[in-house]
Amino acid sequence: MAIEEFFAPSGNARMADDFRAGYVAIVGRPNVGKSTLMNHLLGQKLSITSRKPQTTRHRIHGILSNHEMQAVFVDTPGIHRNEVRAINERMNKAAVSALVDVDLVLFVVDSDQWRDDDLLTLQKLGETNLTVVLVINKSDTLKDKGSVLPLIQTFNDSFDFADIVPVSALKNQNLDRLQEVIASHLPVAAPIYDTEQITDRSERFLASEIIREKIMRSAGDEVPYDLTVQIDEFKDEPAHTDPKTGRPRKACTFIDATIYVERGGQKAIVIGDKGQRIKQVGMDARKDMEQLFGKKIMLTLWVKVKRGWSDDERALTSLGY
């Protein structure tokens, strides 16, 4: 047993005999806290967040592993009715396609309101045979804690949920209970990924998302959704001695990124007065990248206008949507 444990994949030792593993889709309307929920379940920030709805544009896999289970979370864009532009249509398709071949669905709703987009999501779930757990987020915001009981009954009458779990993702409340519920609905299976791995997304992708988050948080409502980020260069440089100075230089990753907006006025907003906003965005993004990647980052940002990119199928494809 000791030999088998030594040669086991990293982190896979001492797994339970009835170890469970599977894919878990996190769905719901925009801005109910899906990304925050995944980040707090993982204890690691992978999916970007902001107070603006429809922040998540891509399906993002986060991997939670312990000795009893491995849950591969699929954080999805919020399902919404208004497919005004091509990017909105693709976001909806990405969210719905996440329901294919998953073992469990976490349907996330707000504790204080039920909207038309919630019903739209529930309608999509009703067209499947998937096991669905209702997650009532932001339960800590309820002034009367007893009011969650009739809310649970209302939700339970509308759909045959496998379980209903009230949580506060932001405050880490009842997430242990949610993990237990998730594990109970996953099939007995070997880990899908190495248990040390936390995502299947590349560092290039995560870097672009971090930059986009910092802009959205900094610019607020001044810049809507007409921006995207493309990584132009991602180059790892090992530790070495500078041939000119003879001084040792630490290992570093050089990242060049272009921020695309749709109008000249948006470019000016992103850059800010005398370049102060883009400078701050770069500093904040670099700090998060160094924490996530565990290495020194040198980040260079450019801002360019690419008119109509969010409603151009070819442009969306070239930008990774």
Side-chain angles (χ1 to χ4, degrees):
M1 289 178 63
I3 294 173
E4 289 179 358
E5 191 172 291
F6 179 82
F7 285 102
S10 177
N12 285 355
R14 300 189 182 92
M15 291 188 298
D17 292 336
D18 59 345
F19 189 88
R20 296 170 179 269
Y23 287 90
V24 182
I26 306 176
V27 302
R29 64 172 167 82
N31 213 30
V32 292
K34 299 184 297 296
S35 297
T36 301
L37 178 64
M38 186 182 80
N39 289 341
H40 281 260
L41 281 168
L42 297 174
Q44 176 72 57
K45 184 174 181 178
L46 289 183
S47 192
I48 72 173
T49 60
S50 84
R51 61 182 178 83
K52 298 179 69 175
Q54 300 175 28
T55 301
T56 301
R57 292 179 179 170
H58 306 269
R59 288 168 50 181
I60 300 173
H61 286 182
I63 306 168
L64 171 65
S65 302
N66 55 42
H67 72 285
E68 295 180 344
M69 71 151 183
Q70 181 177 88
V72 183
F73 294 110
V74 185
D75 184 22
T76 64
I79 297 176
H80 52 288
R81 294 185 184 277
N82 297 324
E83 297 183 5
V84 180
R85 296 174 295 177
I87 188 172
N88 299 102
E89 183 180 352
R90 290 203 179 194
M91 287 166 64
N92 266 353
K93 286 182 178 178
V96 174
S97 65
L99 300 178
V100 178
D101 295 330
V102 298
D103 302 285
L104 180 65
V105 175
L106 302 184
F107 175 37
V108 185
V109 299
D110 251 340
S111 63
D112 61 344
Q113 50 192 321
W114 177 267
R115 297 181 181 175
D116 288 345
D117 284 344
D118 291 312
L119 295 175
L120 175 63
T121 305
L122 203 58
Q123 178 185 340
K124 299 290 186 184
L125 293 175
E127 297 170 359
T128 73
N129 293 318
L130 294 168
T131 302
V132 182
V133 171
L134 177 67
V135 180
I136 305 177
N137 194 23
K138 307 178 186 177
S139 297
D140 59 305
T141 62
L142 291 172
K143 293 181 180 180
D144 178 12
K145 302 304 179 184
S147 63
V148 75
L149 297 177
L151 184 66
I152 289 174
Q153 186 60 50
T154 299
F155 287 138
N156 206 31
D157 291 342
S158 63
F159 192 89
D160 185 18
F161 294 106
D163 273 293
I164 299 179
V165 186
V167 304
S168 171
L170 192 61
K171 295 187 178 180
N172 288 319
Q173 292 180 358
N174 216 27
L175 296 189
D176 288 344
R177 170 58 183 159
L178 180 57
Q179 286 192 38
E180 293 174 1
V181 169
I182 292 169
S184 70
H185 292 293
L186 293 180
V188 175
I192 301 167
Y193 294 94
D194 189 293
T195 55
E196 293 294 314
Q197 194 171 339
I198 61 169
T199 184
D200 65 342
R201 283 292 193 169
S202 69
E203 289 185 340
R204 292 177 69 102
F205 171 81
L206 295 174
S208 70
E209 287 288 272
I210 289 171
I211 296 167
R212 187 165 66 88
E213 177 193 55
K214 300 310 174 188
I215 299 169
M216 295 184 72
R217 285 180 172 270
S218 173
D221 295 329
E222 294 181 88
V223 178
Y225 303 100
D226 302 336
L227 70 88
T228 192
V229 178
Q230 177 174 286
I231 303 299
D232 303 312
E233 184 177 32
F234 197 105
K235 182 180 179 182
D236 290 317
E237 183 179 88
H240 65 285
T241 301
D242 191 310
K244 294 183 179 180
T245 64
R247 295 178 179 176
R249 297 187 61 173
K250 295 181 179 180
C252 182
T253 296
F254 293 84
I255 302 175
D256 289 354
T258 300
I259 301 160
Y260 287 105
V261 294
E262 296 205 337
R263 296 186 293 277
Q266 294 170 343
K267 178 179 178 179
I269 291 171
V270 172
I271 293 174
D273 184 35
K274 298 180 180 179
Q276 286 302 307
R277 172 167 282 151
I278 193 66
K279 179 180 179 181
Q280 189 63 49
V281 164
M283 292 170 59
D284 293 342
R286 180 174 56 80
K287 182 179 178 180
D288 273 17
M289 290 180 201
E290 289 183 341
Q291 183 176 354
L292 180 61
F293 303 150
K295 54 188 175 183
K296 182 177 175 60
I297 301 292
M298 291 294 290
L299 177 63
T300 304
L301 299 177
W302 307 90
V303 186
K304 295 182 179 180
V305 176
K306 192 179 186 70
R307 298 188 184 279
W309 72 265
S310 64
D311 203 25
D312 185 319
E313 295 288 353
R314 292 181 62 185
L316 287 169
T317 300
S318 68
L319 291 169
Y321 289 91

